[in-house]
């Protein structure tokens, strides 16, 4: 049996929408339906492929960024140790009105990926390097805290204890 991952662009979703005769306008009004912005962001996150590798001393995030310029990629660390990679993928010939696409499969537009970093991530120095369309972000691990040593308390002679 083959496992299939269904996305928002899958024909099943458009087929169901046609079967129930639900327009996009009606769907947006529903309380239980995700907003257009949520769906757009979910598509953007799903379209950006990544690998996360854990080494003994670091975490490495590898993301495919084919055809992007450095100024189109933004890497940030937000509150609560969230690593965010965002950007915009554009077509070079969008401005030409005479261009007609016969087939368009490569995704354009905004993209985003978020990764929750563990508590032992060193947020002070995070290098991000893009080579041949592959973005590599390395997050070093902080050394484990040293175990607390027992502290000796000096016992003094004095008046009686009232224990």
């Amino acid at each position: 049996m083959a496992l299939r991952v269904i996305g928002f662009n899958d024909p099943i979703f458009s087929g169901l929408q046609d079967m129930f005769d639900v327009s996009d306008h009606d769907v947006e009004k529903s309380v239980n339906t995700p907003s257009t912005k949520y769906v757009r962001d979910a598509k953007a996150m799903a379209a950006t492929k990544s690998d996360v590798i854990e080494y003994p001393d670091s975490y490495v995030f590898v993301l495919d960024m084919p055809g992007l310029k450095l100024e189109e990629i933004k890497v940030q660390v937000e509150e609560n140790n969230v690593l965010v990679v965002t950007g915009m993928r554009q077509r070079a010939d969008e401005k030409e009105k005479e261009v007609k696409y016969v087939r368009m499969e490569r995704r354009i537009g905004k993209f985003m990926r978020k990764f929750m970093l563990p508590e032992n991530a060193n947020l002070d120095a995070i290098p991000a390097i893009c080579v041949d369309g592959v973005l590599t972000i390395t997050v070093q691990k902080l050394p484990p805290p040293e175990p607390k040593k027992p502290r000796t308390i000096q016992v003094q002679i004095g008046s009686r204890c009232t224990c």
Side-chain angles (χ1 to χ4, degrees):
M1 182 169 109
L3 177 66
R4 181 176 176 201
V5 178
I6 299 174
F8 292 108
N9 290 330
D10 198 282
I12 292 175
F13 283 113
S14 61
L16 287 173
Q17 189 171 344
D18 293 340
M19 278 186 354
F20 293 111
D21 195 27
V22 178
S23 70
D24 287 337
H25 183 67
D26 294 336
V27 169
E28 287 185 24
K29 287 183 180 179
S30 173
V31 176
N32 295 328
T33 304
S35 69
T36 305
K37 182 181 182 319
Y38 176 83
V39 172
R40 184 183 65 233
D41 288 349
K43 286 180 184 180
M45 289 181 71
T48 306
K49 304 297 180 199
S50 66
D51 294 332
V52 180
I53 307 160
E54 182 177 2
Y55 292 101
D57 62 343
S58 65
Y59 301 97
V60 177
F61 301 85
V62 182
L63 293 93
D64 290 339
M65 301 281 160
L68 288 173
K69 298 175 185 152
L70 292 180
E71 55 269 8
E72 296 172 328
I73 303 169
K74 188 177 191 178
V75 179
Q76 295 178 304
V77 176
E78 292 181 346
E79 291 180 30
N80 300 324
N81 289 5
V82 178
L83 176 68
V84 182
V85 181
T86 58
M88 175 71 95
R89 186 175 285 128
Q90 299 177 354
R91 295 214 189 276
D93 54 6
E94 280 183 349
K95 297 174 185 171
E96 296 181 31
K97 299 199 185 251
E98 297 173 10
V99 173
K100 176 183 174 187
Y101 282 91
V102 177
R103 182 178 195 106
M104 188 186 314
E105 293 182 353
R106 296 184 308 139
R107 191 179 182 290
I108 59 170
K110 291 182 179 181
F111 65 87
M112 172 180 50
R113 282 307 300 261
K114 291 185 177 187
F115 304 95
M116 184 64 133
L117 297 174
E119 290 182 21
N120 68 341
N122 183 357
L123 305 179
D124 294 331
I126 301 176
I129 300 168
C130 193
V131 177
D132 295 333
V134 178
L135 176 66
T136 302
I137 304 166
T138 304
V139 180
Q140 295 295 322
K141 291 181 180 180
L142 292 171
E146 291 188 26
K148 292 185 178 183
K149 296 177 183 175
R151 194 176 91 182
T152 303
I153 300 173
Q154 186 70 32
V155 179
Q156 300 177 2
I157 299 176
S159 61
R160 284 188 155 226
C161 272
T162 54
C163 301

